[in-house]
Amino acid sequence: MMEDLAFIGQIAVKSSIAVLLATLGEIVAERSGVLNLGVEGMMLVGALCGVAAGVATGNPVIAAAAGALAGGLLALVHGFFAITLRVNQVLSGLALTILGMGMTSFVGRPLIGTPPGVRLRALPIPGLADIPVIGDILFRQSALAYLAYILVPLCWFVLFRTGTGLKIRAAGEDAAAVDAAGIDVNRIRYGCTFVGGLGAGLAGAYLSLSYTPGWKESMTGGQGWVAIAMVIFATWNPLRAVIGAFLFGGLTALQFYFQAVGIELIPAYILKMLPYVLTIVVMIVVNAGMGRRRFSGPAALGIPFSREG
Amino acid sequence: MGWRIEKRPAVSARMPGWVFPASFGFAIAVGACIFAVLGVNPLTAYGVMLKGAFGSFFHFSEVIVRAIPLMLTGLAVALAATMLLWNIGCEGQLVWGGICAAGAGLFLAPHLPPFLVLPVTIAAGAAGGALWALIPGVLKAFLAVNEILSSLLLNYIAIIVMEHLYFGPWRNPEGYGFPGTAQLAEAARIPHFFGTRIHLGLVLALILAVVLFAALRYSRWGYRVRAIGLNPQAARYAGFRIKGQIIGVMLLSGALAGLAGMAEVSGIHFRLQQGLAVGYGYDGIIVAWLARLNPLAVPIVALLLGTLIVGGEQLQAVLHLPASISMVLEAVLLFGLLLSEALARYRLVRRPAAKDAPTTQGEAPS
């Protein structure tokens, strides 16, 4: 029983890291007032670039960094359209996702089926990994999972306990006031959009270097969209992002568990759709149950800033 | 310099006529760069695409075949967007349209008089899409759940259901293990024209485009849709029942996308199988916005995107470039539209010669 629990828990954490990284990135971007629906596209580009860089260099750090950077650079395209040109952010984000899907399908074809060059295998942390159950669940993961553990409190700290975080949140709430205080709103937003892209790119690289090593077309399977929904569930708070991501990972793990154990209690196709159903249910719960006083998103989310008014 | 860029005094709803050609030009230019980077002469590549799309009557008929589902999903997105609703779930609604049409054609048809088979199949397709769109509609109307995310996530669920059906309970027992249902009977297939794959869906889409245009412009329902789209707050004060309106529009939008799926199953594949969910639902978003949400412009833009898709496949066949180049070009086309619209907010004016006032911020139209 304990072994099963450790097994499910370990896979649950493993399956939640990509959503977690992408959610963290999107929280930062949205806190500054930029809605980027291109997460799915940025994740795909990150996944592909991670594999490509891994094949080219054989260096896992470079591979992961390349994935993150690719996501960040793609996010700047959205930044240019959303911040500088002040176009409709929903459309620009959708265009970014379509661009990412098309580009990776186009460029990635020769890489399908090739080994990823590097693999980020589970890296047990000496000492911590030997704690019963918890050690198996949390501390026998890949390096990127540990990075995610660090990034959660770090994001929270920067957003809620530093001057930079205050500026970011203010830019997302009342851009004109930030501008009046002599702070460059658009610079903050560009920075946060870039960080959001880094998160999505890293999430993609996690998928292609660690979770299911190798490149496969559309390998993100909607996790980018799940991440955007989880931002709402987390009420734009990095700490709460952990819960949403873990729920998603938990249902994915349950799917593996039922397959491995061979219990045919729940048909496979029902299990397969559960993570998506959960994500919708989670949005319903947030909107329906939690009362009106909860934080319902940055006030200036999706609204471009211009002094001309 | 005697010129400067200034903001247009009023943002008018009508964009200048050059916006669409400019976005198209932008896409062609970026596409040319991509081809050049790949070491393919852009002229050769575009030549192959054009020849593939317009080289013969048969080739052009294939463009129309691709344009039919794009027209329907384009109309679906445009209708919802007119009321500020983002229906990103057309792909899933299309899939459900296909599932229900196949279900009706396979399992209901034997129990129906022949003349009823086709109408029931068509209606089942529309109903399937409508009911799937009802979910994000109800969630939006009563719980203010973001319809972009809910409708999109439902796409993945719809595809899982469809795959389950044709891999599992609906799989053709005589299909040699090939995933897919049995073929639909003749009576459940929509008619074809000119000895090509062009089918009744074209007539349906064109009629619906005109009807939707007229309904939005001249009916009281259309007036309410447009009023809510322009100013939801004011519409609420005016006493419009916004919730009912949201649900109604989502039902209709889903029905349009469902018809696209029905037409693919009953007019192209003749069975439920892989290749139904190939992105027409997502392409509908691009069609709708390039058409500036005008139902009458949707068929024209759909033809354009159909050209792109068929041309992309020709690139794969002739030059061995992946057909997904057409997806890249679609995204660039959408970015081009956003870029031109942003530029259209400014205009070039002759500056009084005397002072050299600083130029206003903004991008110069080149």
mmCIF file of all heavy atoms in Angstrom, chain A residues 81 85-87 91 94 99 101-103 105-106 222 225 232 269 273 279 284 287-288 308, chain B residues 7 38 139 143-145 152 156 160-161 164 289 322 324 327-328 331 335 338-339 345-346 361:
data_model
loop_
_atom_site.group_PDB
_atom_site.id
_atom_site.type_symbol
_atom_site.label_atom_id
_atom_site.label_comp_id
_atom_site.label_asym_id
_atom_site.label_seq_id
_atom_site.Cartn_x
_atom_site.Cartn_y
_atom_site.Cartn_z
ATOM 1 N N PHE A 81 3.699 42.736 -30.035
ATOM 2 C CA PHE A 81 2.339 42.977 -30.505
ATOM 3 C C PHE A 81 1.450 43.508 -29.385
ATOM 4 O O PHE A 81 0.667 44.430 -29.577
ATOM 5 C CB PHE A 81 1.747 41.701 -31.110
ATOM 6 C CG PHE A 81 2.154 41.493 -32.531
ATOM 7 C CD1 PHE A 81 3.344 40.870 -32.845
ATOM 8 C CD2 PHE A 81 1.367 41.961 -33.568
ATOM 9 C CE1 PHE A 81 3.745 40.708 -34.149
ATOM 10 C CE2 PHE A 81 1.752 41.801 -34.888
ATOM 11 C CZ PHE A 81 2.949 41.173 -35.173
ATOM 12 N N LEU A 85 2.563 47.414 -29.963
ATOM 13 C CA LEU A 85 1.521 47.706 -30.957
ATOM 14 C C LEU A 85 0.135 47.786 -30.327
ATOM 15 O O LEU A 85 -0.808 48.252 -30.959
ATOM 16 C CB LEU A 85 1.516 46.642 -32.059
ATOM 17 C CG LEU A 85 2.752 46.584 -32.948
ATOM 18 C CD1 LEU A 85 2.564 45.531 -34.035
ATOM 19 C CD2 LEU A 85 3.019 47.931 -33.593
ATOM 20 N N ARG A 86 -0.003 47.289 -29.100
ATOM 21 C CA ARG A 86 -1.255 47.370 -28.345
ATOM 22 C C ARG A 86 -2.426 46.732 -29.101
ATOM 23 O O ARG A 86 -3.518 47.281 -29.182
ATOM 24 C CB ARG A 86 -1.567 48.829 -27.992
ATOM 25 C CG ARG A 86 -0.543 49.386 -27.012
ATOM 26 C CD ARG A 86 -0.906 50.777 -26.583
ATOM 27 N NE ARG A 86 -0.366 51.762 -27.491
ATOM 28 C CZ ARG A 86 -1.083 52.727 -28.039
ATOM 29 N NH1 ARG A 86 -2.360 52.847 -27.756
ATOM 30 N NH2 ARG A 86 -0.524 53.587 -28.860
ATOM 31 N N VAL A 87 -2.186 45.543 -29.656
ATOM 32 C CA VAL A 87 -3.273 44.841 -30.357
ATOM 33 C C VAL A 87 -4.041 43.984 -29.350
ATOM 34 O O VAL A 87 -3.671 43.895 -28.186
ATOM 35 C CB VAL A 87 -2.727 43.933 -31.479
ATOM 36 C CG1 VAL A 87 -1.875 44.738 -32.436
ATOM 37 C CG2 VAL A 87 -1.938 42.775 -30.898
ATOM 38 N N LEU A 91 -6.012 37.532 -29.454
ATOM 39 C CA LEU A 91 -5.681 37.132 -30.825
ATOM 40 C C LEU A 91 -4.184 36.930 -30.996
ATOM 41 O O LEU A 91 -3.746 35.965 -31.619
ATOM 42 C CB LEU A 91 -6.164 38.203 -31.804
ATOM 43 C CG LEU A 91 -7.585 38.051 -32.328
ATOM 44 C CD1 LEU A 91 -7.858 39.131 -33.349
ATOM 45 C CD2 LEU A 91 -7.781 36.683 -32.950
ATOM 46 N N LEU A 94 -3.206 33.665 -29.426
ATOM 47 C CA LEU A 94 -3.628 32.528 -30.243
ATOM 48 C C LEU A 94 -2.727 32.382 -31.459
ATOM 49 O O LEU A 94 -2.320 31.271 -31.817
ATOM 50 C CB LEU A 94 -5.080 32.713 -30.697
ATOM 51 C CG LEU A 94 -6.149 32.528 -29.631
ATOM 52 C CD1 LEU A 94 -7.516 32.924 -30.174
ATOM 53 C CD2 LEU A 94 -6.173 31.081 -29.159
ATOM 54 N N LEU A 99 1.546 29.692 -34.393
ATOM 55 C CA LEU A 99 2.900 29.822 -34.934
ATOM 56 C C LEU A 99 3.816 28.759 -34.325
ATOM 57 O O LEU A 99 4.572 28.099 -35.044
ATOM 58 C CB LEU A 99 3.443 31.225 -34.636
ATOM 59 C CG LEU A 99 4.824 31.545 -35.203
ATOM 60 C CD1 LEU A 99 4.773 31.603 -36.724
ATOM 61 C CD2 LEU A 99 5.359 32.859 -34.655
ATOM 62 N N MET A 101 2.984 25.891 -32.941
ATOM 63 C CA MET A 101 2.609 24.561 -33.404
ATOM 64 C C MET A 101 3.114 24.326 -34.826
ATOM 65 O O MET A 101 3.691 23.272 -35.137
ATOM 66 C CB MET A 101 1.077 24.396 -33.350
ATOM 67 C CG MET A 101 0.533 24.214 -31.942
ATOM 68 S SD MET A 101 -1.266 24.431 -31.856
ATOM 69 C CE MET A 101 -1.803 22.991 -32.747
ATOM 70 N N GLY A 102 2.893 25.314 -35.703
ATOM 71 C CA GLY A 102 3.294 25.171 -37.099
ATOM 72 C C GLY A 102 4.805 25.072 -37.236
ATOM 73 O O GLY A 102 5.333 24.186 -37.913
ATOM 74 N N MET A 103 5.506 25.990 -36.551
ATOM 75 C CA MET A 103 6.961 26.022 -36.675
ATOM 76 C C MET A 103 7.594 24.725 -36.198
ATOM 77 O O MET A 103 8.467 24.167 -36.863
ATOM 78 C CB MET A 103 7.523 27.192 -35.860
ATOM 79 C CG MET A 103 7.815 28.389 -36.696
ATOM 80 S SD MET A 103 8.497 29.806 -35.837
ATOM 81 C CE MET A 103 8.828 29.317 -34.187
ATOM 82 N N SER A 105 6.220 21.777 -35.890
ATOM 83 C CA SER A 105 5.872 20.660 -36.762
ATOM 84 C C SER A 105 6.720 20.705 -38.030
ATOM 85 O O SER A 105 7.145 19.681 -38.559
ATOM 86 C CB SER A 105 4.382 20.736 -37.089
ATOM 87 O OG SER A 105 4.111 20.145 -38.325
ATOM 88 N N PHE A 106 6.983 21.918 -38.482
ATOM 89 C CA PHE A 106 7.736 22.140 -39.723
ATOM 90 C C PHE A 106 9.219 21.822 -39.533
ATOM 91 O O PHE A 106 9.814 21.039 -40.263
ATOM 92 C CB PHE A 106 7.530 23.603 -40.123
ATOM 93 C CG PHE A 106 8.132 23.972 -41.426
ATOM 94 C CD1 PHE A 106 7.563 23.538 -42.603
ATOM 95 C CD2 PHE A 106 9.255 24.779 -41.477
ATOM 96 C CE1 PHE A 106 8.111 23.885 -43.809
ATOM 97 C CE2 PHE A 106 9.806 25.125 -42.687
ATOM 98 C CZ PHE A 106 9.246 24.682 -43.870
ATOM 99 N N GLY A 222 -1.830 20.005 -24.818
ATOM 100 C CA GLY A 222 -2.761 20.900 -24.130
ATOM 101 C C GLY A 222 -2.296 21.355 -22.756
ATOM 102 O O GLY A 222 -3.011 22.101 -22.086
ATOM 103 N N TRP A 225 -2.454 25.057 -22.134
ATOM 104 C CA TRP A 225 -3.781 25.597 -21.833
ATOM 105 C C TRP A 225 -4.178 25.287 -20.410
ATOM 106 O O TRP A 225 -4.784 26.121 -19.723
ATOM 107 C CB TRP A 225 -4.800 25.047 -22.819
ATOM 108 C CG TRP A 225 -4.534 25.520 -24.202
ATOM 109 C CD1 TRP A 225 -3.945 24.831 -25.216
ATOM 110 C CD2 TRP A 225 -4.811 26.828 -24.719
ATOM 111 N NE1 TRP A 225 -3.845 25.634 -26.327
ATOM 112 C CE2 TRP A 225 -4.363 26.840 -26.056
ATOM 113 C CE3 TRP A 225 -5.391 27.981 -24.177
ATOM 114 C CZ2 TRP A 225 -4.485 27.968 -26.860
ATOM 115 C CZ3 TRP A 225 -5.510 29.108 -24.980
ATOM 116 C CH2 TRP A 225 -5.059 29.091 -26.309
ATOM 117 N N ILE A 232 -5.629 30.919 -13.061
ATOM 118 C CA ILE A 232 -6.874 31.408 -12.453
ATOM 119 C C ILE A 232 -7.134 30.662 -11.154
ATOM 120 O O ILE A 232 -7.459 31.260 -10.126
ATOM 121 C CB ILE A 232 -8.056 31.216 -13.429
ATOM 122 C CG1 ILE A 232 -7.779 31.959 -14.733
ATOM 123 C CG2 ILE A 232 -9.357 31.686 -12.792
ATOM 124 C CD1 ILE A 232 -8.807 31.703 -15.811
ATOM 125 N N TYR A 269 -10.116 5.461 -21.543
ATOM 126 C CA TYR A 269 -10.375 6.747 -22.194
ATOM 127 C C TYR A 269 -10.978 7.748 -21.219
ATOM 128 O O TYR A 269 -10.769 8.951 -21.354
ATOM 129 C CB TYR A 269 -11.249 6.569 -23.441
ATOM 130 C CG TYR A 269 -12.725 6.376 -23.189
ATOM 131 C CD1 TYR A 269 -13.616 7.433 -23.326
ATOM 132 C CD2 TYR A 269 -13.224 5.135 -22.830
ATOM 133 C CE1 TYR A 269 -14.966 7.259 -23.103
ATOM 134 C CE2 TYR A 269 -14.568 4.947 -22.605
ATOM 135 C CZ TYR A 269 -15.435 6.009 -22.739
ATOM 136 O OH TYR A 269 -16.771 5.838 -22.514
ATOM 137 N N MET A 273 -9.236 11.529 -20.169
ATOM 138 C CA MET A 273 -9.834 12.869 -20.252
ATOM 139 C C MET A 273 -9.927 13.548 -18.888
ATOM 140 O O MET A 273 -10.199 14.733 -18.811
ATOM 141 C CB MET A 273 -11.200 12.810 -20.939
ATOM 142 C CG MET A 273 -12.232 11.950 -20.267
ATOM 143 S SD MET A 273 -13.847 12.080 -21.087
ATOM 144 C CE MET A 273 -13.654 11.057 -22.516
ATOM 145 N N THR A 279 -9.450 20.295 -14.976
ATOM 146 C CA THR A 279 -9.083 21.689 -15.164
ATOM 147 C C THR A 279 -10.330 22.550 -15.326
ATOM 148 O O THR A 279 -10.406 23.666 -14.794
ATOM 149 C CB THR A 279 -8.157 21.822 -16.389
ATOM 150 O OG1 THR A 279 -7.088 20.885 -16.248
ATOM 151 C CG2 THR A 279 -7.584 23.212 -16.481
ATOM 152 N N ILE A 284 -14.575 26.065 -12.517
ATOM 153 C CA ILE A 284 -15.946 26.234 -12.031
ATOM 154 C C ILE A 284 -15.930 26.480 -10.522
ATOM 155 O O ILE A 284 -16.589 27.394 -10.018
ATOM 156 C CB ILE A 284 -16.790 24.978 -12.356
ATOM 157 C CG1 ILE A 284 -16.903 24.790 -13.865
ATOM 158 C CG2 ILE A 284 -18.163 25.076 -11.707
ATOM 159 C CD1 ILE A 284 -17.543 23.486 -14.269
ATOM 160 N N ASN A 287 -14.790 29.907 -9.590
ATOM 161 C CA ASN A 287 -15.763 30.962 -9.892
ATOM 162 C C ASN A 287 -17.021 30.856 -9.044
ATOM 163 O O ASN A 287 -17.619 31.863 -8.679
ATOM 164 C CB ASN A 287 -16.159 30.903 -11.370
ATOM 165 C CG ASN A 287 -15.091 31.513 -12.241
ATOM 166 O OD1 ASN A 287 -13.923 31.458 -11.886
ATOM 167 N ND2 ASN A 287 -15.473 32.080 -13.347
ATOM 168 N N ALA A 288 -17.431 29.606 -8.733
ATOM 169 C CA ALA A 288 -18.727 29.430 -8.086
ATOM 170 C C ALA A 288 -18.637 29.533 -6.567
ATOM 171 O O ALA A 288 -19.381 30.272 -5.934
ATOM 172 C CB ALA A 288 -19.313 28.073 -8.465
ATOM 173 N N GLU A 308 -1.192 58.153 -24.344
ATOM 174 C CA GLU A 308 -2.154 58.920 -25.139
ATOM 175 C C GLU A 308 -3.576 58.629 -24.698
ATOM 176 O O GLU A 308 -4.500 59.338 -25.028
ATOM 177 C CB GLU A 308 -2.023 58.572 -26.624
ATOM 178 C CG GLU A 308 -0.651 58.875 -27.182
ATOM 179 C CD GLU A 308 -0.403 58.076 -28.449
ATOM 180 O OE1 GLU A 308 -1.332 57.990 -29.263
ATOM 181 O OE2 GLU A 308 0.702 57.536 -28.606
ATOM 182 N N LYS B 7 -1.566 60.116 -34.671
ATOM 183 C CA LYS B 7 -2.658 59.207 -34.393
ATOM 184 C C LYS B 7 -3.899 59.686 -35.127
ATOM 185 O O LYS B 7 -4.152 60.891 -35.206
ATOM 186 C CB LYS B 7 -2.913 59.171 -32.895
ATOM 187 C CG LYS B 7 -3.628 57.921 -32.508
ATOM 188 C CD LYS B 7 -3.530 57.643 -31.026
ATOM 189 C CE LYS B 7 -4.089 56.286 -30.776
ATOM 190 N NZ LYS B 7 -5.025 56.208 -29.707
ATOM 191 N N LEU B 38 15.330 28.234 -46.125
ATOM 192 C CA LEU B 38 15.354 26.791 -46.367
ATOM 193 C C LEU B 38 16.100 26.441 -47.656
ATOM 194 O O LEU B 38 16.219 25.277 -48.003
ATOM 195 C CB LEU B 38 13.922 26.256 -46.459
ATOM 196 C CG LEU B 38 13.094 26.308 -45.174
ATOM 197 C CD1 LEU B 38 11.638 26.009 -45.471
ATOM 198 C CD2 LEU B 38 13.639 25.305 -44.167
ATOM 199 N N LEU B 139 -21.494 27.554 -18.724
ATOM 200 C CA LEU B 139 -20.482 27.916 -17.725
ATOM 201 C C LEU B 139 -20.200 29.409 -17.754
ATOM 202 O O LEU B 139 -20.027 30.056 -16.719
ATOM 203 C CB LEU B 139 -19.190 27.134 -17.963
ATOM 204 C CG LEU B 139 -19.266 25.628 -17.719
ATOM 205 C CD1 LEU B 139 -17.925 24.967 -17.984
ATOM 206 C CD2 LEU B 139 -19.714 25.335 -16.296
ATOM 207 N N LEU B 143 -21.709 31.056 -14.483
ATOM 208 C CA LEU B 143 -20.615 31.057 -13.514
ATOM 209 C C LEU B 143 -19.446 31.921 -13.944
ATOM 210 O O LEU B 143 -18.421 31.958 -13.270
ATOM 211 C CB LEU B 143 -20.129 29.613 -13.284
ATOM 212 C CG LEU B 143 -21.182 28.685 -12.675
ATOM 213 C CD1 LEU B 143 -20.747 27.240 -12.798
ATOM 214 C CD2 LEU B 143 -21.399 29.041 -11.215
ATOM 215 N N ALA B 144 -19.606 32.615 -15.064
ATOM 216 C CA ALA B 144 -18.549 33.493 -15.570
ATOM 217 C C ALA B 144 -17.223 32.757 -15.747
ATOM 218 O O ALA B 144 -16.150 33.322 -15.569
ATOM 219 C CB ALA B 144 -18.367 34.708 -14.661
ATOM 220 N N VAL B 145 -17.307 31.457 -16.093
ATOM 221 C CA VAL B 145 -16.080 30.711 -16.387
ATOM 222 C C VAL B 145 -15.559 31.149 -17.753
ATOM 223 O O VAL B 145 -16.312 31.229 -18.715
ATOM 224 C CB VAL B 145 -16.339 29.189 -16.385
ATOM 225 C CG1 VAL B 145 -15.124 28.431 -16.891
ATOM 226 C CG2 VAL B 145 -16.709 28.722 -14.991
ATOM 227 N N LEU B 152 -11.691 25.487 -25.180
ATOM 228 C CA LEU B 152 -10.490 24.873 -25.730
ATOM 229 C C LEU B 152 -10.196 23.518 -25.093
ATOM 230 O O LEU B 152 -9.867 22.550 -25.773
ATOM 231 C CB LEU B 152 -9.285 25.779 -25.539
ATOM 232 C CG LEU B 152 -8.143 25.185 -26.331
ATOM 233 C CD1 LEU B 152 -7.673 26.114 -27.395
ATOM 234 C CD2 LEU B 152 -7.037 24.695 -25.475
ATOM 235 N N TYR B 156 -9.903 18.733 -26.431
ATOM 236 C CA TYR B 156 -9.115 17.530 -26.146
ATOM 237 C C TYR B 156 -10.029 16.385 -25.728
ATOM 238 O O TYR B 156 -9.830 15.244 -26.106
ATOM 239 C CB TYR B 156 -8.083 17.833 -25.055
ATOM 240 C CG TYR B 156 -7.000 18.775 -25.534
ATOM 241 C CD1 TYR B 156 -7.100 20.137 -25.333
ATOM 242 C CD2 TYR B 156 -5.905 18.292 -26.238
ATOM 243 C CE1 TYR B 156 -6.116 21.005 -25.794
ATOM 244 C CE2 TYR B 156 -4.920 19.142 -26.707
ATOM 245 C CZ TYR B 156 -5.031 20.501 -26.479
ATOM 246 O OH TYR B 156 -4.065 21.348 -26.955
ATOM 247 N N ILE B 160 -10.642 12.677 -27.551
ATOM 248 C CA ILE B 160 -10.474 11.403 -26.826
ATOM 249 C C ILE B 160 -11.726 10.529 -27.013
ATOM 250 O O ILE B 160 -11.628 9.331 -27.273
ATOM 251 C CB ILE B 160 -10.195 11.657 -25.331
ATOM 252 C CG1 ILE B 160 -8.817 12.310 -25.163
ATOM 253 C CG2 ILE B 160 -10.259 10.356 -24.535
ATOM 254 C CD1 ILE B 160 -8.533 12.809 -23.764
ATOM 255 N N VAL B 161 -12.903 11.153 -26.912
ATOM 256 C CA VAL B 161 -14.148 10.396 -27.093
ATOM 257 C C VAL B 161 -14.200 9.807 -28.504
ATOM 258 O O VAL B 161 -14.496 8.618 -28.697
ATOM 259 C CB VAL B 161 -15.381 11.291 -26.847
ATOM 260 C CG1 VAL B 161 -16.662 10.561 -27.256
ATOM 261 C CG2 VAL B 161 -15.442 11.716 -25.386
ATOM 262 N N HIS B 164 -11.832 6.965 -28.907
ATOM 263 C CA HIS B 164 -12.355 5.798 -28.201
ATOM 264 C C HIS B 164 -13.408 5.090 -29.054
ATOM 265 O O HIS B 164 -13.418 3.857 -29.163
ATOM 266 C CB HIS B 164 -12.957 6.230 -26.870
ATOM 267 C CG HIS B 164 -13.774 5.157 -26.211
ATOM 268 N ND1 HIS B 164 -13.214 4.006 -25.717
ATOM 269 C CD2 HIS B 164 -15.112 5.051 -26.011
ATOM 270 C CE1 HIS B 164 -14.169 3.249 -25.213
ATOM 271 N NE2 HIS B 164 -15.327 3.852 -25.379
ATOM 272 N N TRP B 289 -11.491 36.371 -38.159
ATOM 273 C CA TRP B 289 -10.898 37.694 -37.892
ATOM 274 C C TRP B 289 -10.369 38.336 -39.149
ATOM 275 O O TRP B 289 -10.424 39.568 -39.294
ATOM 276 C CB TRP B 289 -9.841 37.595 -36.800
ATOM 277 C CG TRP B 289 -10.516 37.433 -35.480
ATOM 278 C CD1 TRP B 289 -10.819 36.254 -34.862
ATOM 279 C CD2 TRP B 289 -11.064 38.459 -34.652
ATOM 280 N NE1 TRP B 289 -11.500 36.492 -33.704
ATOM 281 C CE2 TRP B 289 -11.655 37.838 -33.537
ATOM 282 C CE3 TRP B 289 -11.094 39.849 -34.741
ATOM 283 C CZ2 TRP B 289 -12.290 38.546 -32.519
ATOM 284 C CZ3 TRP B 289 -11.712 40.572 -33.724
ATOM 285 C CH2 TRP B 289 -12.295 39.922 -32.631
ATOM 286 N N PRO B 322 7.679 20.102 -45.405
ATOM 287 C CA PRO B 322 6.527 19.686 -44.594
ATOM 288 C C PRO B 322 5.300 20.566 -44.880
ATOM 289 O O PRO B 322 5.420 21.784 -45.009
ATOM 290 C CB PRO B 322 7.000 19.894 -43.157
ATOM 291 C CG PRO B 322 8.485 19.910 -43.234
ATOM 292 C CD PRO B 322 8.839 20.440 -44.584
ATOM 293 N N SER B 324 3.149 21.507 -43.003
ATOM 294 C CA SER B 324 2.802 22.421 -41.918
ATOM 295 C C SER B 324 3.289 23.832 -42.185
ATOM 296 O O SER B 324 2.996 24.741 -41.401
ATOM 297 C CB SER B 324 3.354 21.912 -40.594
ATOM 298 O OG SER B 324 4.655 21.411 -40.737
ATOM 299 N N MET B 327 0.519 26.119 -41.920
ATOM 300 C CA MET B 327 0.130 26.548 -40.580
ATOM 301 C C MET B 327 0.970 27.755 -40.141
ATOM 302 O O MET B 327 0.458 28.709 -39.557
ATOM 303 C CB MET B 327 0.345 25.386 -39.620
ATOM 304 C CG MET B 327 -0.438 25.479 -38.363
ATOM 305 S SD MET B 327 -0.246 23.897 -37.537
ATOM 306 C CE MET B 327 -1.004 24.244 -36.009
ATOM 307 N N VAL B 328 2.260 27.697 -40.459
ATOM 308 C CA VAL B 328 3.132 28.830 -40.142
ATOM 309 C C VAL B 328 2.630 30.073 -40.866
ATOM 310 O O VAL B 328 2.513 31.155 -40.283
ATOM 311 C CB VAL B 328 4.593 28.523 -40.543
ATOM 312 C CG1 VAL B 328 5.481 29.732 -40.286
ATOM 313 C CG2 VAL B 328 5.113 27.314 -39.797
ATOM 314 N N ALA B 331 -0.423 31.584 -39.239
ATOM 315 C CA ALA B 331 -0.101 32.368 -38.048
ATOM 316 C C ALA B 331 0.474 33.717 -38.453
ATOM 317 O O ALA B 331 0.116 34.765 -37.890
ATOM 318 C CB ALA B 331 0.887 31.606 -37.163
ATOM 319 N N PHE B 335 -0.766 37.500 -37.585
ATOM 320 C CA PHE B 335 0.104 38.555 -37.067
ATOM 321 C C PHE B 335 0.115 39.744 -38.019
ATOM 322 O O PHE B 335 0.130 40.902 -37.590
ATOM 323 C CB PHE B 335 1.530 38.029 -36.863
ATOM 324 C CG PHE B 335 1.736 37.356 -35.535
ATOM 325 C CD1 PHE B 335 2.266 36.082 -35.455
ATOM 326 C CD2 PHE B 335 1.399 38.014 -34.348
ATOM 327 C CE1 PHE B 335 2.458 35.464 -34.230
ATOM 328 C CE2 PHE B 335 1.584 37.397 -33.122
ATOM 329 C CZ PHE B 335 2.120 36.116 -33.066
ATOM 330 N N LEU B 338 -2.889 41.816 -37.391
ATOM 331 C CA LEU B 338 -2.762 42.603 -36.173
ATOM 332 C C LEU B 338 -1.818 43.789 -36.396
ATOM 333 O O LEU B 338 -2.072 44.901 -35.933
ATOM 334 C CB LEU B 338 -2.237 41.717 -35.029
ATOM 335 C CG LEU B 338 -3.186 40.603 -34.597
ATOM 336 C CD1 LEU B 338 -2.518 39.654 -33.625
ATOM 337 C CD2 LEU B 338 -4.434 41.202 -33.958
ATOM 338 N N LEU B 339 -0.739 43.525 -37.132
ATOM 339 C CA LEU B 339 0.225 44.581 -37.421
ATOM 340 C C LEU B 339 -0.424 45.691 -38.248
ATOM 341 O O LEU B 339 -0.324 46.875 -37.910
ATOM 342 C CB LEU B 339 1.416 43.981 -38.179
ATOM 343 C CG LEU B 339 2.568 44.906 -38.540
ATOM 344 C CD1 LEU B 339 3.271 45.391 -37.282
ATOM 345 C CD2 LEU B 339 3.578 44.183 -39.430
ATOM 346 N N ARG B 345 -4.063 52.670 -37.028
ATOM 347 C CA ARG B 345 -4.455 53.659 -36.026
ATOM 348 C C ARG B 345 -3.722 54.980 -36.249
ATOM 349 O O ARG B 345 -4.045 55.987 -35.654
ATOM 350 C CB ARG B 345 -4.137 53.132 -34.625
ATOM 351 C CG ARG B 345 -5.042 52.011 -34.167
ATOM 352 C CD ARG B 345 -5.084 51.928 -32.664
ATOM 353 N NE ARG B 345 -3.774 51.683 -32.084
ATOM 354 C CZ ARG B 345 -3.357 50.479 -31.687
ATOM 355 N NH1 ARG B 345 -4.144 49.445 -31.808
ATOM 356 N NH2 ARG B 345 -2.158 50.324 -31.173
ATOM 357 N N TYR B 346 -2.681 54.919 -37.088
ATOM 358 C CA TYR B 346 -1.910 56.133 -37.340
ATOM 359 C C TYR B 346 -2.089 56.544 -38.786
ATOM 360 O O TYR B 346 -2.532 55.774 -39.616
ATOM 361 C CB TYR B 346 -0.434 55.874 -37.039
ATOM 362 C CG TYR B 346 -0.223 55.476 -35.611
ATOM 363 C CD1 TYR B 346 -0.237 54.135 -35.246
ATOM 364 C CD2 TYR B 346 -0.068 56.439 -34.626
ATOM 365 C CE1 TYR B 346 -0.082 53.761 -33.923
ATOM 366 C CE2 TYR B 346 0.084 56.078 -33.307
ATOM 367 C CZ TYR B 346 0.086 54.735 -32.956
ATOM 368 O OH TYR B 346 0.223 54.379 -31.656
ATOM 369 N N GLN B 361 5.049 58.876 -30.954
ATOM 370 C CA GLN B 361 5.484 57.487 -30.948
ATOM 371 C C GLN B 361 4.624 56.643 -31.877
ATOM 372 O O GLN B 361 3.490 56.988 -32.176
ATOM 373 C CB GLN B 361 5.419 56.899 -29.537
ATOM 374 C CG GLN B 361 4.023 56.552 -29.085
ATOM 375 C CD GLN B 361 4.022 55.869 -27.734
ATOM 376 O OE1 GLN B 361 3.996 56.498 -26.702
ATOM 377 N NE2 GLN B 361 4.052 54.562 -27.740
#
